[in-house]
Amino acid sequence: MKKATAEFLGTFILVFFGVGSAVLMGSHVGMQGIAIAFGLSIVAAAYGLGAISGAHLNPAVSLGVLLAGRMSAAEFLTYVVAQILGAIVGAFAIYVIATGKADYAIATNGLGQNGFGPGYNGGYSMGAALVFETVATFLFVTVILGVTGAGAPAGFAGLAIGLTLTGIHLVGIDVTGVSVNPARSIGPALFVGGTALAQLWLFIVAPLVGGALAGIAHRAGLTSAEA
């Protein structure tokens, strides 16, 4: 229960900082500011809650950890449920705050949802979105498994993971808004509905595939210092 609570709160922090920056401050801080906010959310949660649960905050990360042999299937399911609930509550909190502005409308302004195609950011194709989300998640989970494994410098994991997520956002916000995290995508999409909900499958499938590949590669010794 303690680990589940930590994952819930950590994912709430991720969505509140990251999605919140996009919805409430996007026009002021731009894509670079949003990228930094997502990275800082990981740093905050990792150092604040990481000692309890490892601060996965992401079903794709938990899947990678599971396939790398570092957690049980039962624990994986508990983490995923907590992460999704944390993302939903985080998105709801941002929505409630956003509605306090007179000219906000979720149909027009959105809720930091992920997407692709005409009308969304750079208008990138589904194929481009699929490749970006898979590759970016693979790299993200590979870094996480590496910096939390044997031989990694102690005390720097949270910073390394946060900076990696920042870098991923600097590359891909214009492509998909950056998910690399099914929970982060599910939260806003449930409130926005429509196209966001119709495209949600990609932001569940691609990150899970990327996370799984990273876990398998790590367990095989390809990306692990422990092998």
Side-chain angles (χ1 to χ4, degrees):
M1 189 63 188
K2 193 173 182 179
K3 289 183 177 182
T5 301
E7 286 298 305
F8 174 89
L9 289 174
T11 312
F12 179 94
I13 290 171
L14 172 70
V15 172
F16 191 81
F17 279 28
V19 172
S21 69
V23 176
L24 306 177
M25 290 293 292
S27 61
H28 301 286
V29 301
M31 291 184 179
Q32 292 85 355
I34 296 169
I36 292 171
F38 269 103
L40 289 176
S41 73
I42 293 292
V43 174
Y47 289 113
L49 300 164
I52 301 172
S53 68
H56 295 184
L57 323 181
N58 181 341
V61 172
S62 295
L63 180 60
V65 173
L66 171 69
L67 294 177
R70 294 190 188 176
M71 73 186 306
S72 68
E75 196 170 38
F76 166 74
L77 292 175
T78 299
Y79 272 47
V80 169
V81 170
Q83 292 157 0
I84 292 173
L85 290 176
I88 292 171
V89 176
F92 179 69
I94 295 301
Y95 175 65
V96 170
I97 295 167
T99 57
K101 189 175 181 181
D103 61 351
Y104 174 81
I106 195 167
T108 304
N109 303 104
L111 195 63
Q113 70 273 15
N114 297 114
F116 56 85
Y120 186 91
N121 286 358
Y124 284 81
S125 68
M126 181 180 72
L130 193 63
V131 170
F132 171 76
E133 289 292 332
T134 303
V135 171
T137 309
F138 172 81
L139 296 175
F140 186 45
V141 178
T142 295
V143 169
I144 291 171
L145 292 172
V147 299
T148 57
F156 288 96
L159 184 59
I161 296 167
L163 289 174
T164 300
L165 188 60
T166 299
I168 288 171
H169 277 77
L170 289 173
V171 172
I173 288 181
D174 201 40
V175 183
T176 63
V178 181
S179 170
V180 300
N181 183 340
R184 173 263 183 269
S185 298
I186 289 170
L190 290 180
F191 294 99
V192 176
T195 301
L197 209 53
Q199 295 182 346
L200 181 59
W201 67 269
L202 187 145
F203 302 106
I204 294 174
V205 173
L208 289 177
V209 169
L213 291 174
I216 292 168
H218 190 84
R219 189 162 191 172
L222 298 175
T223 58
S224 172
E226 300 170 43

